[in-house]
Amino acid sequence: MKIISLFSVLFGLATICSAQPKDADKQFTVRWYGQAFFTITSPSGRVVAFDPHVMEEFPREGKVKADIVCQCHPDADKDRLEQSIEGADTGKVKVFRGYKKANPGKPWDWNLIDEKSAVGEETYRIRTVGNYRDALEGKKWGKNSTFVVEMEGVTFCHLGYLGHTLSKAEIEAIGPVDVLFVPVGGVYMINGEMAREVVSSLKPKRYLFPMAYAFNGQPDTLLSADEFLDGLDPQVNATTTNHFSFGLSQKPAAPTTVVLGWKPGTPVEKK
């Protein structure tokens, strides 16, 4: 697995950005809280959270602040918003669920979303694309929703617990992507080899973040990210921290894989 140093990559990106207008280099920060739980802090200081969880393998120091929460599927962990997101129990956070209960006793169905949401002075577009957590049209693990969020000039795609490669129709529905969050842990989602195929089909323009895999052996029900990462170039190894920032003007020559670490973090602060 070839990994170039975080310092080298960031130095190179900083050099590119130094020639850009100062206003164009507004910063986004991505933070990882284990599994598929990420937050994105925008240049305006707003926070979008994906798939928050409560897991003993990934304890946290306090709750995480967010303006918007996107939930891909109804696992028990994902429904414990009150324990993971500050203000979720008082209705201060806007929650988008990619699933709904159509009828009592029936399986969960997709909640297809395409909505523009005011967040402070900004307007974000939030969409879902329905897919499955397995290659058997959900017969084993059920349905999944992929979220596409367009925020302040960058398009983020969080694949959730996708369990199959994507069809042409699904690729077209997702559309152009700048930053991609892709599961790689196998078992009840795609493994590393399949994840590489998905990345190749979506062709993210800037960064891709592997997620939902065994980090330092936890959770031990999943595979590590090694199969996915092997040979990918360029890579940023940021495993000493759980966050990574980039400027609006930063556009790597090739999609860059960012490998984040995990540690009990400080809640995301809004500006």
Side-chain angles (χ1 to χ4, degrees):
M1 179 171 64
K2 181 181 178 183
I3 300 180
I4 57 180
S5 71
L6 175 62
F7 174 80
S8 299
V9 172
L10 295 183
F11 179 79
L13 293 174
T15 301
I16 294 171
C17 292
S18 64
Q20 301 292 331
K22 191 171 184 180
D23 289 345
D25 200 29
K26 297 177 180 179
Q27 295 287 305
F28 290 85
T29 298
V30 176
R31 287 180 171 85
W32 186 45
Y33 296 91
Q35 286 294 84
F37 185 4
F38 282 86
T39 61
I40 303 164
T41 304
S42 73
S44 68
R46 302 298 177 173
V47 181
V48 175
F50 295 95
D51 272 4
H53 63 63
V54 178
M55 295 180 65
E56 62 181 11
E57 294 94 341
F58 300 104
R60 293 187 298 275
E61 296 175 358
K63 298 180 181 180
V64 175
K65 291 184 179 180
D67 298 281
I68 288 176
V69 174
C70 300
Q71 294 180 291
C72 297
H73 60 89
D75 269 8
D77 291 338
K78 308 296 185 291
D79 282 332
R80 297 174 187 169
L81 291 178
E82 297 84 358
Q83 299 178 44
S84 56
I85 301 295
E86 186 175 310
D89 54 344
T90 59
K92 293 182 179 180
V93 179
K94 190 160 189 177
V95 180
F96 290 88
R97 292 182 172 88
Y99 54 88
K100 61 183 177 181
K101 192 79 169 179
N103 297 297
K106 297 291 185 180
W108 295 96
D109 200 358
W110 294 302
N111 181 32
L112 298 179
I113 299 166
D114 188 348
E115 181 176 327
K116 291 184 178 180
S117 181
V119 187
E121 297 180 355
E122 303 289 340
T123 299
Y124 296 172
R125 184 185 179 192
I126 298 169
R127 299 186 289 116
T128 59
V129 176
N131 41 51
Y132 300 97
R133 294 185 58 189
D134 55 59
L136 302 172
E137 296 188 342
K139 291 181 176 63
K140 186 173 183 180
W141 298 111
K143 292 181 172 70
N144 174 72
S145 287
T146 286
F147 272 87
V148 181
V149 179
E150 301 171 22
M151 53 188 295
E152 301 183 33
V154 176
T155 300
F156 296 84
C157 177
H158 187 288
L159 290 169
Y161 281 41
L162 180 69
H164 54 87
T165 56
L166 296 172
S167 68
K168 181 179 179 181
E170 289 167 330
I171 294 167
E172 291 176 350
I174 291 171
V177 171
D178 291 304
V179 179
L180 179 65
F181 301 91
V182 56
V184 302
V187 186
Y188 47 86
M189 67 192 82
I190 54 176
N191 58 24
E193 181 180 359
M194 297 171 71
R196 292 167 70 102
E197 184 175 341
V198 169
V199 169
S200 179
S201 67
L202 290 175
K203 298 179 175 60
K205 298 175 183 176
R206 301 189 188 212
Y207 299 100
L208 54 138
F209 292 82
M211 64 178 182
Y213 59 90
F215 181 77
N216 289 342
Q218 293 296 327
D220 58 10
T221 53
L222 296 178
L223 306 175
S224 75
D226 291 348
E227 181 184 36
F228 174 73
L229 296 173
D230 189 30
L232 281 180
D233 187 27
Q235 291 182 21
V236 174
N237 184 357
T239 54
T240 58
T241 180
N242 73 331
H243 61 85
F244 177 81
S245 297
F246 65 93
L248 182 60
S249 65
Q250 290 177 211
K251 296 180 180 179
T256 299
T257 303
V258 182
V259 186
L260 290 175
W262 176 86
K263 60 182 179 180
T266 301
V268 178
E269 297 294 337
K270 291 188 289 186
K271 296 178 182 177

